[in-house]
């Protein structure tokens, strides 16, 4: 059992930035679905949709693209993740935060709905290989995040910070359990009530480092009792 804190990061749109994977997905949808205009749809503001992947899904369905084709196109796009065909970048300061979290004894978790396709290579390309204690793929958020939190609770982890770009998937389950949440990105969600919010992760580092210092200090004090 452990009472150390845990910080949970989402992958796409949080750890891995840039529209490279989205455009690779859009191009694959166009090629496999025999349609056009999918990539251009990314430039149209869509406040009712979750993220860029949701934009592509909606545009594809409007053009009659089937779910099977969407799945095949998505997997094709993941096969080039982190390559020149689907470039990604990490937020400035991410490697430093992960290093600080590890040195402080926090459990560092990457939890993504994406399959285990080139995730390790992508983390290497982002300069954060080895930055996570656990990498959990195909999570099935939000329900899968609930299950992950259940598992952490059985390990004695009660102080959780979750960082992501989709409120209902990445953060709401943690919020309901009294954990700390940080929402990043430009997609609006009127139901979102995060503890921290900013368009980019670097704008939140001061707050997140403060949480890390407080939570790990509390964990150390509790362990000493």
């Amino acid at each position: 059992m452990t009472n150390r804190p845990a910080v949970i990061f989402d992958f796409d749109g949080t750890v891995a930035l840039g529209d490279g994977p989205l455009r690779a997905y859009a191009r694959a949808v166009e090629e496999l679905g025999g349609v056009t205009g999918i990539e251009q749809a990314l430039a149209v503001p869509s406040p009712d949709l979750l993220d860029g992947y949701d934009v592509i899904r909606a545009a594809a369905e409007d053009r009659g693209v089937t779910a099977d084709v969407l799945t095949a196109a998505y997997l094709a796009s993941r096969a080039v993740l982190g390559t020149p065909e689907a470039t990604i970048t990490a937020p400035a300061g991410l490697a430093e935060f992960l290093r600080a979290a590890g040195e402080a004894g926090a459990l560092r978790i990457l939890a993504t709905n994406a399959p285990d396709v080139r995730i390790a290579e992508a983390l290497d390309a982002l300069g954060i290989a080895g930055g996570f204690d656990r990498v959990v793929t195909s999570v099935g958020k939000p329900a899968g995040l609930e299950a992950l939190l259940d598992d952490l609770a059985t390990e004695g982890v009660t102080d959780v910070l979750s960082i992501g770009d989709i409120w209902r998937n990445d953060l709401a389950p943690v919020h309901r359990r009294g954990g700390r949440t940080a929402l990043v990105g430009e997609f609006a969600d009127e139901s979102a009530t995060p503890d921290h919010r900013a368009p980019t992760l670097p704008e939140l580092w001061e707050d997140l480092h403060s949480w890390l210092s407080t939570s790990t200090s509390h964990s150390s004090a509790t362990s000493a009792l």
Side-chain angles (χ1 to χ4, degrees):
M1 297 286 286
T2 177
N3 62 357
R4 67 173 171 163
V7 55
I8 303 174
F9 278 89
D10 174 50
F11 184 69
D12 288 282
T14 305
V15 165
L17 304 181
D19 63 1
L22 281 172
R23 295 196 177 280
Y25 180 32
R27 292 193 298 269
V29 170
E30 292 179 345
E31 180 179 351
L32 298 178
V35 296
T36 60
I38 304 298
E39 191 170 0
Q40 286 81 356
L42 290 169
V44 180
S46 305
D48 296 331
L49 299 176
L50 289 176
D51 59 7
Y53 288 96
D54 208 22
V55 170
I56 291 172
R57 176 201 55 76
E61 289 178 349
D62 285 345
R63 290 162 174 78
V65 177
T66 65
D68 287 345
V69 170
L70 282 175
T71 297
Y74 176 70
L75 291 175
S77 72
R78 300 312 281 192
V80 294
L81 180 66
T83 73
E85 295 179 64
T87 57
I88 51 176
T89 60
L94 175 59
E96 291 77 9
F97 180 81
L98 290 173
R99 187 179 307 115
E103 291 173 351
L107 181 62
R108 303 162 299 174
I109 301 172
L110 181 70
T112 175
N113 282 353
D116 187 12
V117 178
R118 286 191 57 83
I119 296 294
E121 292 85 351
L123 294 177
D124 186 46
L126 293 170
I128 52 174
F132 293 96
D133 302 296
R134 300 179 190 175
V135 175
V136 189
T137 57
S138 301
V139 172
K141 294 185 271 186
L145 183 55
E146 296 275 9
L148 176 58
L149 294 172
D150 287 341
D151 290 341
L152 291 175
T154 65
E155 298 175 31
V157 175
T158 57
D159 194 358
V160 177
L161 164 66
S162 188
I163 305 168
D165 65 324
I166 301 179
W167 169 254
R168 75 184 192 192
N169 281 0
D170 306 322
L171 308 179
V174 175
H175 173 74
R176 285 194 293 270
R177 298 188 184 209
R180 179 79 57 168
T181 57
L183 181 63
V184 296
E186 300 289 352
F187 277 83
D189 185 339
E190 294 182 357
S191 70
T193 56
D195 297 288
H196 310 286
R197 185 172 194 167
T200 68
L201 196 47
E203 295 171 79
L204 296 179
W205 286 138
E206 183 175 354
D207 290 332
L208 301 186
H209 276 283
S210 177
W211 170 87
L212 180 63
S213 177
T214 300
S215 62
T216 52
S217 295
H218 174 72
S219 175
S220 298
T222 303
S223 298
L225 295 177

